[in-house]
Amino acid sequence: DAKTTQPPSMDCAEGRAANLPCNHSTISGNEYVYWYRQIHSQGPQYIIHGLKNNETNEMASLIITEDRKSSTLILPHATLRDTAVYYCIVKTKGDKLIFGTGTRLQVFP
Amino acid sequence: GAVVSQHPSWVICKSGTSVKIECRSLDFQATTMFWYRQFPKQSLMLMATSNEGSKATYEQGVEKDKFLINHASLTLSTLTVTSAHPEDSSFYICSARRPMRGPGGYTFGSGTRLTVV
């Protein structure tokens, strides 16, 4: 599986959009980009995933660059409850999830 | 839908004893489950892949005789930490692979915090 690079931490003001970047320059054609988050002392929670096209659901939007070498997770209106560690994972659809170090997002009032 | 229940949520045990952690998929059948371990301020580390009706596949460096995994049914996998020692104290999390039509594909339990004293 391709490796991902994420900033270790980010801050965001409550109510503003949180944009979390992820680099995956060695991604291959059949690998998807998945995003999970882990709120303190809980199991990870699925957010969104995509292959080539941008995706949106009730939680977030995923923007994947045309060359697929990077992506951005967007939380449109961050709340204090969005404070968590966000993991960007690249893998084929049936494969196991291998977690990197993630980005610790702190949303402040 | 797609709920995974993990039990217990926390456990304290004495050194040398064994502890069993259960992971159940409540509303779907999971032929494959995964077990992770997480130390404080670190990421999740995959320990093993549990396949229903067959032996688990362990990641490199994980002692299979110490961490016994049983996946006897399509909705239950268990992890037994045998002869636990303080260094086994950690947060253990299971995950179940959902049917492919579901979003994301994986649902996680809420984790079990093990403290060995």
Side-chain angles (χ1 to χ4, degrees), chain B residues 3-67:
Chain B
V3 177
V4 171
S5 173
Q6 194 171 336
H7 179 80
S9 53
W10 61 270
V11 58
I12 300 173
C13 73
K14 291 185 176 180
S15 270
T17 62
S18 295
V19 173
K20 181 185 283 188
I21 302 169
E22 292 187 349
C23 180
R24 294 181 185 273
S25 55
L26 296 186
D27 50 1
F28 65 99
Q29 293 183 332
T31 55
T32 305
M33 291 185 175
F34 304 89
W35 287 95
Y36 294 82
R37 180 168 56 179
Q38 186 175 32
F39 293 108
K41 297 192 187 300
Q42 294 187 22
S43 184
L44 287 80
M45 186 196 80
L46 180 65
M47 299 174 67
T49 301
S50 167
N51 298 298
E52 186 267 335
S54 65
K55 288 184 180 179
T57 304
Y58 290 82
E59 296 297 305
Q60 194 172 5
V62 177
E63 299 173 62
K64 61 181 180 182
D65 294 330
K66 180 165 188 61
F67 299 100

Side-chain angles (χ1 to χ4, degrees), chain A residues 94-106:
Chain A
D95 211 355
K96 51 196 174 185
L97 282 171
I98 303 295
F99 288 80
T101 52
T103 295
R104 186 171 298 275
L105 175 68
Q106 178 69 54

Side-chain angles (χ1 to χ4, degrees), chain A residues 34 36 38 40-46 49 87 91-102 104, chain B residues 34 36 38 41-44 46 49 59 91 93 95 97-98 100 103-106 108-111 113:
Chain A
Y34 287 78
Y36 282 77
Q38 185 180 26
H40 183 63
S41 292
Q42 296 182 25
Q45 175 191 24
Y46 166 78
H49 77 285
Y87 296 97
K91 67 175 203 67
T92 55
K93 214 166 192 186
D95 211 355
K96 51 196 174 185
L97 282 171
I98 303 295
F99 288 80
T101 52
R104 186 171 298 275
Chain B
F34 304 89
Y36 294 82
Q38 186 175 32
K41 297 192 187 300
Q42 294 187 22
S43 184
L44 287 80
L46 180 65
T49 301
E59 296 297 305
F91 192 52
I93 308 168
S95 169
R97 179 182 284 159
R98 297 198 299 273
M100 293 308 291
Y106 301 84
F108 286 81
S110 53
R113 186 159 303 283

